[in-house]
Amino acid sequence: MNRCAMPDKPILLTGFMGSGKSSVARLLAERLGCPLIDLDAEIVSAAGCSINEIFSSKGEAVFRQLESDQLQRVLARNECVLIATGGGVVISPGNRSLMREKGIIVNLDVSLEQVLGRLAGCNDRPLLAGDQVEERVRTLMESRQQFYADAHIRIDTNGKSVEDVAAEVLCRLKGF
Ligand code: S3P
């Protein structure tokens, strides 16, 4: 497997839950030969409990604060890393401007149908717990669409394999 040149800035993968960020990030990090940081894992480690527990015992606002804190922390190191973000990182205007200033934002675009298929039966995403999942996912996706679109690179992932998406990202990164 060929190594590719890593840009001299962090790469931030954004996208809705189920867009394939974690799988694509693993492959990309391997091909770029760079460290991979999973922002959700950083939050869990800082909080000492799972994302489900943070949401249920402290609420979403506390989760969002932890998310912004961890984003700031990893970007302050000014290291060339690949960062897989959580789907909601784009909600905060502060997170969006920090990501734009410090790194290259790569958004993985995905359709509602693909998300619903991929997340069926998943129980580690508190925002998807409960009834009327399709309606809630649609509303959440619509409300975030403009924020996901504000990326340096946007890849349509629908119907593509993880390998294809990673290859497309690598190709588009050559311009940076
Ligand atoms: C969230 C996405 C999740 C996680 C949390 C909230 C969101 O990450 O950060 O459950 O608001 O979209 P993934 O996108 O990695 O599933």
Side-chain angles (χ1 to χ4, degrees):
M1 191 184 301
N2 289 339
R3 281 276 177 94
C4 302
M6 173 73 191
D8 61 0
K9 291 174 165 192
I11 300 167
L12 294 130
L13 276 191
T14 67
F16 200 77
M17 292 173 269
S19 59
K21 295 180 299 273
S22 303
S23 315
V24 171
R26 274 193 294 275
L27 199 49
L28 277 179
E30 196 181 312
R31 301 234 168 131
L32 290 164
C34 72
L36 169 61
I37 295 178
D38 180 306
L39 206 58
D40 280 346
E42 298 295 314
I43 296 167
V44 167
S45 154
C49 59
S50 72
I51 291 180
N52 273 342
E53 284 161 352
I54 303 170
F55 268 78
S56 64
S57 66
K58 301 177 179 147
E60 180 170 350
V62 169
F63 174 81
R64 295 298 169 202
Q65 187 57 54
L66 287 166
E67 185 172 50
S68 297
D69 293 346
Q70 291 308 311
L71 180 70
Q72 283 166 28
R73 191 180 63 79
V74 297
L75 287 177
R77 304 201 297 233
N78 284 319
E79 288 166 356
C80 295
V81 286
L82 181 66
I83 304 168
T85 64
V89 79
V90 296
I91 297 171
S92 149
N95 290 352
R96 294 199 300 273
S97 57
L98 183 67
M99 292 195 294
R100 195 157 253 290
E101 177 203 336
K102 295 273 192 172
I104 301 169
I105 306 172
V106 178
N107 175 254
L108 303 186
D109 191 25
V110 64
S111 68
L112 173 68
E113 291 68 30
Q114 295 249 331
V115 166
L116 292 173
R118 288 182 191 167
L119 298 180
C122 136
N123 57 10
D124 59 357
R125 270 124 169 156
L127 291 177
L128 303 183
D131 300 330
Q132 297 179 311
V133 174
E134 178 168 344
E135 202 38 53
R136 283 188 291 117
V137 168
R138 178 183 286 112
T139 307
L140 265 185
M141 283 184 93
E142 282 172 6
S143 69
R144 294 175 181 179
Q145 229 17 269
Q146 57 176 318
F147 305 140
Y148 289 138
D150 182 20
H152 296 98
I153 296 173
R154 200 151 197 229
I155 309 278
D156 176 2
T157 67
N158 293 299
K160 295 178 189 163
S161 67
V162 170
E163 286 77 14
D164 286 348
V165 174
E168 220 173 306
V169 174
L170 290 172
C171 189
R172 301 272 303 273
L173 279 172
K174 283 184 187 136
F176 284 85

